[in-house]
Amino acid sequence: MKSLAIAVLGSLFVSTLQAAKTLDFYTIDVEGGKSVLVVSPSGESLLFDAGWPESAARQASVERIVETVKAAGLKQIDYLVISHFDVDHLGDVPQLVSKIPVRRIYDHGDFQPAPGGDPAPLRFKTYDEVRHRIGHTALKPGDRIPLKGVNVEVVAAGGKFIDK
């Protein structure tokens, strides 16, 4: 009877440990902008935006992102979502993936230049090479990102919005 009680208590303890996993958000200060790391209860990760690339005025956001990913106990970024291709969101993805593995990249598709603008600036070209090498999905409103244990639904992408 004593061993049954220990087994029952042990199973309750194990189920309590499993229930204790949390959904964690890390807001990363990337100098004037934000990058957000999400760690699901299953341990998968999603990084939303990559901050700034290096310039004469600032360091690249890559080191802060990598430090945060490691502090969260992760060895890779499962999903990298780039909201749009402005320099403060696109950052330096090639440098980021050289420092920490990224399994899949999500964004809204091809670069759409402003009227009379550069059809594909150098920062996009280097990003485009990386996203094709790693694997890339162009999102549409209503699509889902398969972060285990979390329902991640795209509500807007490429200037279009979800119907409901």
Side-chain angles (χ1 to χ4, degrees), residues 100-141:
I100 191 131
V102 173
R103 283 188 34 223
R104 187 94 185 149
I105 296 176
Y106 293 84
D107 60 36
H108 60 77
D110 291 328
F111 183 81
Q112 301 297 317
D118 186 347
L122 180 59
R123 73 175 182 273
F124 180 79
K125 290 175 186 173
T126 58
Y127 163 72
D128 192 41
E129 291 169 5
V130 170
R131 74 180 182 161
H132 281 93
R133 186 179 76 238
I134 288 175
H136 154 259
T137 300
L139 295 167
K140 300 179 301 305

Side-chain angles (χ1 to χ4, degrees), residues 49-71:
D49 285 337
W52 288 90
E54 186 173 13
S55 71
R58 69 172 40 96
Q59 291 183 324
S61 301
V62 169
E63 293 305 324
R64 288 183 183 189
I65 293 169
V66 170
E67 287 172 11
T68 304
V69 168
K70 289 181 178 178

